[in-house]
Amino acid sequence: MLTAILVASVLLGGAYALMAMGLTLQYGVARIMNLATGETLMGAAFGSFWLFTAMQLSPLLSLLFIVPLAFAINWAIYRWLLTPLVRRAKNQGMLEVDSILATFGLLFVIEGAMLAGFGGNYYSYSFLAEPVTLLGHSFGLNRVVAFGVAALMALALYLGLNRTRYGTAIRAVAVDPVAAGLVAIDVPRAAAFAFALGGALTACGGSLLSMFLTFNASMGVVFTMKALIIVIMGGVGDPRGAVIAAFLLALVETVVAALVDPGLTLAATYLLFVLTLLFRPQGLMGRRT
Amino acid sequence: MIFPMQRREVIAVVASTAALALLAGLPLADDGFWLALAISIASYVAMATAWALFSGPTNYVSLATAAFFGSGAYVVSALAETAPWPVVLVAAALVGALLALATGLATLRLSGVYFVIFSFGLAELIRQLVTYYQTQVTGSVGRYIFVTISASEIYWQLLGLCAIALFTGWAIQRSRLGFALRVIGDDETVAAHSGIDTARVKVLLFCISGALIALVGAVMAPRFTYIEPQIAYNPMVSFQVVIMALLGGSKRLWGPLVGVIPFVLLHEWIAGRFPNHTHLLLGMVFLLVVYFVPQGVSGWLEKAWRRIRGESA
Amino acid sequence: MSSTAILSVTGLSKAFGGLLAVNQISFDVHRGEIVGLIGPNGSGKTTLLNLISGALAPTQGSVRLRRRELTGLPPHRIARAGISRSFQLVRVLPSLTALENVMVGATFGPDAVWGAEAAAIARALLERVGLGGRENAMPEAMTYIDQKRIELARALAADPQVLLLDEWLAGLNPTELRIGIALIESLHAEGRTILMVEHVMDAIRSLCDRCVVMNAGSKLAEGSPEQVLSNHEVIAAYLGDDHA
Ligand SMILES: Nc1ncnc2c1ncn2[C@@H]1O[C@H](COP(=O)(O)OP(=O)(O)OP(=O)(O)O)[C@@H](O)[C@H]1O
Ligand SMILES: [Mg+2]
């Protein structure tokens, strides 16, 4: 039982980690708290669903379309929708309020588009649904594959941020945009890039989740909550913290779903959030000042 | 200045009392379409005003209106058959205040971001909890509400709530609490160093706001006849209240009032013409408001008024 | 002497991660005294004021007002206990008039006066700091020194037992400086207790009864302005070792 729960939560945590790394890039580097992140995720899930059912395209292949597309769309969102807000904000607080409002509106636009296209029904599709045995318990092959892809993406992101020049520039913007500007980093461009990359990661997480979850157009809020709480728990702008917190959240959810009731997973998420706020508001990895 | 009542204020009080009396006569003229529209407008005026009581001066965007509204409605479904109506209303207000208290205590000591996040998922959280409770304990999701309250009575109660919300806002503005809020809105650090318990002020205000919204939910509940979590905790309510308050302008007491009326009409029109695209279109309207009317209509009107009077800004 | 200590700081420390910004500082401020807190840039003076006013919680040590323990209290409790402050980067409330800005101090301070009484106090203080007749001006339209005056009046409106000033005289031109020094001198004359961070040496010499010198978070010296300013270590800290 215990190993089954552990393995299941690790498998789930992979996709959560992607979505949380996506949000932490958007929030930590571009300084936009994106309330529509769950809708990006669901959009990608619907994209994979549609490509699979209408075009018989494997979700693993559809990533090749969906991820670059998400990158482009998020780039455009940052450029056309959010940059004006960044420009008109007199201070960080104003930008925070404005970006919360703008992405809240965006949430309803994306959700509305999905509702218009797919209605309010639940969807799922069957891809690699055969069982595989891991540590004596059986799991869907789709979950294992999804985890593998998530791990590869996370590794690529880690190497990209830590081993490349541009990755270093992005991390510099996360620490201090003003100082980064002073050393000739193009901060607006880095922010746009981070926002787009974050959206692409989130979309990748969504496509992977669609391989084994049942979803509908109105579920975005729940995933946004998960992503936000993971980001806060991990420490804003810290992808390593996001990964650790993602697995923690997946573990708590899996335990609650298995031992208490699947209807209480969001309650478990909130509990984790409240505990974080009470005991480590700076995040697991953040330093206490 | 803040203290003695000015002539302008006296005029405002007299005028709004007269307007209220006039509006209260509406059910005598029509009890069909127009009354339904008036109920919708009155409920949103009360909620948007209550929302702006807290979110206007503090700049903390509360996305949790549906949580309070739904909880008020659920109090009715739980108590209405056993307790007298005034008791039900008091219970709804208390539940709203307690919910706000819990949210406030968890987040308002910290930065506003945590508050926004917490409030963002709150309606969904409570919806899931209620669903869980109903399936586990009562065995069925959803309940009928058997309360014999006519549409006119609902309308009059909502008018009363509008009056209470506006009066509360006005009383707060004249009080130390209102003064503290203005300081907090300008600079929390200065507020704290001047002796203002900022967390307490915010929590108190959020409780007042939450209680009022829960009351609207309670008063509106009999309109639903059948109540289930999906209906009571509809995220559209949170969304609409924010957009209406923003459209009108949340920095002035009368701002939300100005925003509600055009938006309810627009909503009616969109829902009639494009029933499958309501969500999408309202989302776009929301964005338009955020981008093009950041100060709200009341901000515009005030500027225009000053210009007419020949004062410089 | 120590029997009349109003403010006692004992073994106060603050670490930011690995950086010890304030390191084991102890001193007393007595009733009616102006104590200067001086030291080179980044030596921890503002951080020390933040620890006293409650903006930051100390890592170690204690702050007492008379006998009352203030350590770890939130800023609003400390303000109500009778400690007011100004900020190094002036902080006025932009949407409030000058008069309302000052009323804030009286309304939420220890005496919690409200209404006409608070307005009367604020009006008198605006007069006192040289802003008589400017009650309805908005602070954003005011000059830097006038904003500083508002901030001082706001702190005074609480009628504090101890006033903390963080470089209140910085950034003033010579004429304004003379006015500013005279103003603080008049506060001294009426018996106010002040702890002031300052870089302007003339002001320190003419105003302070005593000085505490900080360097790299630690207390370097304490004594009369003449004593500490002729101290070799102090000169070395300010100007570098070769000048000592
Ligand atoms: N919130 C903070 N987090 C991390 N480090 C800080 C913080 N506040 C101050 N410091 C550091 O503590 C040290 C002391 O700073 P402080 O502002 O107290 O110096 P100061 O003596 O007031 O200097 P100045 O004369 O320039 O005002 C500096 O190295 C500063 O960078
Ligand atoms: Mg300083």
Side-chain angles (χ1 to χ4, degrees):
Chain A
M1 188 64 182
L2 195 65
T3 34
I5 288 178
L6 276 177
V7 176
S9 52
V10 168
L11 293 183
L12 181 63
Y16 281 9
L18 277 192
M19 124 187 132
M21 285 191 296
L23 187 63
T24 210
L25 275 180
Q26 295 188 329
Y27 190 27
V29 182
R31 318 269 151 170
I32 300 287
M33 193 168 90
N34 185 1
L35 293 181
T37 197
E39 276 61 32
T40 308
L41 188 94
M42 297 318 299
F46 272 107
S48 288
F49 169 82
W50 185 76
L51 287 172
F52 184 75
T53 49
M55 320 279 267
Q56 285 80 45
L57 192 64
S58 143
L60 294 177
L61 286 178
S62 70
L63 283 178
L64 296 178
F65 296 97
I66 289 176
V67 172
L69 185 66
F71 186 93
I73 293 176
N74 277 276
W75 182 287
I77 288 177
Y78 188 82
R79 263 279 115 96
W80 307 118
L81 221 51
L82 299 173
T83 307
L85 298 183
V86 176
R87 291 230 181 86
R88 89 178 181 197
K90 287 204 198 96
N91 53 47
Q92 187 57 33
M94 261 182 80
L95 177 60
E96 209 145 66
V97 171
D98 270 352
S99 62
I100 285 166
L101 291 173
T103 57
F104 189 57
L106 193 62
L107 176 175
F108 280 83
V109 171
I110 303 177
E111 189 188 347
M114 290 189 292
L115 279 173
F118 294 89
N121 301 331
Y122 282 86
Y123 291 88
S124 67
Y125 59 96
S126 175
F127 171 72
L128 297 181
E130 57 265 32
V132 287
T133 307
L134 281 180
L135 302 174
H137 297 269
S138 77
F139 300 91
L141 178 58
N142 44 27
R143 288 179 186 256
V144 179
V145 169
F147 174 80
V149 175
L152 280 179
M153 294 293 288
L155 187 68
L157 178 73
Y158 178 81
L159 292 178
L161 284 181
N162 288 284
R163 296 287 155 79
T164 67
R165 220 178 131 75
Y166 203 56
T168 310
I170 286 178
R171 285 188 298 136
V173 176
V175 175
D176 187 340
V178 177
L182 293 179
V183 295
I185 294 173
D186 183 348
V187 176
R189 192 159 161 260
F193 181 79
F195 191 87
L197 185 62
L201 286 171
T202 305
C204 181
S207 288
L208 295 177
L209 281 171
S210 76
M211 287 164 39
F212 56 90
L213 281 189
T214 303
F215 50 91
N216 82 356
S218 307
M219 267 168 68
V221 176
V222 176
F223 286 100
T224 305
M225 270 320 282
K226 287 178 190 181
L228 285 168
I229 289 171
I230 292 170
V231 167
I232 299 291
M233 246 169 41
V236 173
D238 182 345
R240 283 170 314 158
V243 172
I244 296 171
F247 284 108
L248 200 59
L249 179 74
L251 178 65
V252 170
E253 275 190 3
T254 314
V255 167
V256 168
L259 304 181
V260 192
D261 189 293
L264 291 180
T265 48
L266 186 61
T269 312
Y270 258 85
L271 185 66
L272 218 49
F273 185 31
V274 172
L275 290 177
T276 308
L277 292 186
L278 290 181
F279 299 110
R280 272 197 89 77
Q282 75 277 34
L284 292 174
M285 308 290 281
R287 243 195 278 139
R288 195 181 279 275
T289 55
Chain B
M1 267 310 310
I2 340 179
F3 330 99
M5 228 175 34
Q6 290 185 337
R7 215 186 57 184
R8 247 179 53 195
E9 285 184 310
V10 177
I11 294 174
V13 169
V14 172
S16 37
T17 315
L20 207 61
L22 201 68
L23 285 173
L26 182 122
L28 304 177
D30 180 277
D31 57 2
F33 173 77
W34 292 107
L35 181 58
L37 192 65
I39 285 179
S40 179
I41 288 177
S43 71
Y44 278 111
V45 167
M47 285 197 282
T49 307
W51 182 88
L53 280 187
F54 172 76
S55 294
T58 58
N59 286 327
Y60 284 16
V61 182
S62 163
L63 305 174
T65 307
F68 296 104
F69 180 86
S71 300
Y74 256 94
V75 169
V76 174
S77 89
L79 296 182
E81 283 157 45
T82 48
W85 187 242
V87 175
V88 175
L89 290 184
V90 171
L94 272 179
V95 166
L98 284 176
L99 191 57
L101 183 69
T103 308
L105 289 181
T107 59
L108 287 177
R109 296 172 303 122
L110 304 162
S111 92
V113 176
Y114 301 122
F115 171 80
V116 174
I117 296 176
F118 199 98
S119 77
F120 178 67
L122 191 63
E124 181 65 17
L125 170 70
I126 297 176
R127 188 182 71 75
Q128 292 194 4
L129 288 177
V130 169
T131 310
Y132 170 76
Y133 176 83
Q134 288 194 320
T135 42
Q136 295 296 310
V137 182
T138 59
S140 74
V141 181
R143 289 177 83 117
Y144 284 94
I145 296 184
F146 300 105
V147 196
T148 45
I149 294 181
S150 70
S152 307
E153 284 165 336
I154 289 177
Y155 173 67
W156 286 321
Q157 290 181 51
L158 288 172
L159 275 189
L161 285 179
C162 291
I164 291 173
L166 287 167
F167 176 80
T168 307
W170 176 74
I172 288 174
Q173 279 183 0
R174 293 169 54 87
S175 70
R176 289 165 56 103
L177 181 62
F179 195 36
L181 275 167
R182 290 173 63 201
V183 181
I184 292 174
D186 268 2
D187 190 331
E188 284 211 39
T189 307
V190 169
H193 281 92
S194 306
I196 297 172
D197 187 343
T198 53
R200 197 164 131 193
V201 167
K202 285 180 278 185
V203 171
L204 179 64
L205 213 74
F206 192 48
C207 287
I208 295 174
S209 168
L212 281 168
I213 296 172
L215 273 172
V216 176
V219 169
M220 287 293 278
R223 297 267 304 161
F224 294 132
T225 344
Y226 180 74
I227 197 168
E228 60 171 6
Q230 208 72 50
I231 301 174
Y233 294 99
N234 180 357
M236 259 333 241
V237 172
S238 308
F239 171 80
Q240 297 208 48
V241 165
V242 175
I243 185 177
M244 289 169 184
L246 288 181
L247 176 61
S250 59
K251 299 285 179 202
R252 290 161 193 81
L253 188 54
W254 51 278
L257 181 76
V258 182
V260 169
I261 298 169
F263 191 81
V264 168
L265 296 177
L266 180 72
H267 185 192
E268 286 288 313
W269 183 74
I270 289 180
R273 281 292 297 274
F274 311 98
N276 293 325
H277 297 86
T278 316
H279 225 88
L280 180 63
L281 292 173
L282 290 182
M284 289 178 171
V285 173
F286 189 109
L287 287 178
L288 290 179
V289 171
V290 172
Y291 282 88
F292 298 109
V293 208
Q295 304 299 315
V297 177
S298 64
W300 273 0
L301 290 177
E302 224 169 69
K303 232 184 249 164
W305 177 243
R306 275 208 216 106
R307 206 166 306 138
I308 292 169
R309 301 256 308 236
E311 295 169 20
S312 57
Chain C
M1 268 282 261
S2 65
S3 60
T4 57
I6 288 195
L7 183 73
S8 310
V9 171
T10 321
L12 208 57
S13 300
K14 177 69 186 179
F16 292 114
L19 172 78
L20 254 181
V22 173
N23 185 10
Q24 295 287 336
I25 300 277
S26 305
F27 62 91
D28 285 343
V29 179
H30 303 142
R31 173 198 285 274
E33 201 178 26
I34 296 189
V35 173
L37 185 58
I38 63 177
N41 291 113
S43 56
K45 307 176 297 290
T46 298
T47 307
L48 182 60
L49 286 201
N50 283 340
L51 294 174
I52 297 174
S53 76
L56 295 170
T59 317
Q60 235 180 51
S62 86
V63 179
R64 265 167 304 164
L65 184 66
R66 297 179 191 273
R67 292 234 175 64
R68 189 164 162 210
E69 187 65 55
L70 297 183
T71 320
L73 290 184
H76 67 268
R77 298 273 302 276
I78 292 176
R80 284 188 211 158
I83 296 184
S84 293
R85 71 172 291 179
S86 75
F87 295 88
Q88 183 167 356
L89 295 172
V90 64
R91 299 184 92 131
V92 286
L93 302 163
S95 76
L96 273 57
T97 64
L99 186 71
E100 287 171 332
N101 257 280
V102 180
M103 282 171 61
V104 170
T107 305
F108 302 104
D111 302 332
V113 285
W114 173 232
E117 201 183 336
I121 292 173
R123 206 164 279 126
L125 280 169
L126 280 178
E127 192 77 43
R128 170 96 193 258
V129 299
L131 290 176
R134 307 277 303 275
E135 285 81 1
N136 292 321
M138 297 312 282
E140 271 182 340
M142 293 178 131
T143 59
Y144 187 66
I145 182 175
D146 286 351
Q147 293 189 357
K148 290 203 145 198
R149 286 169 153 153
I150 287 183
E151 208 185 27
L152 178 63
R154 183 175 72 212
L156 287 171
D159 191 14
Q161 299 189 38
V162 177
L163 179 62
L164 310 176
L165 298 178
D166 196 350
E167 301 194 22
W168 192 76
L169 294 167
L172 305 188
N173 68 34
T175 327
E176 293 167 345
L177 191 61
R178 235 177 298 121
I179 301 171
I181 292 178
L183 188 55
I184 295 181
E185 186 51 51
S186 76
L187 296 175
H188 195 192
E190 73 175 34
R192 292 244 168 241
T193 311
I194 300 175
L195 174 62
M196 57 189 276
V197 172
E198 205 47 72
H199 281 305
V200 183
M201 288 303 163
D202 289 346
I204 296 165
R205 284 210 179 80
S206 64
L207 289 172
C208 297
D209 301 301
R210 267 185 322 124
C211 283
V212 172
V213 188
M214 284 180 77
N215 186 31
S218 305
K219 184 163 99 175
L220 194 59
E222 181 176 348
S224 71
E226 296 76 39
Q227 279 169 352
V228 299
L229 292 179
S230 56
N231 179 317
H232 285 299
E233 284 183 65
V234 174
I235 295 168
Y238 266 97
L239 302 174
D241 285 328
D242 13 324
H243 290 265

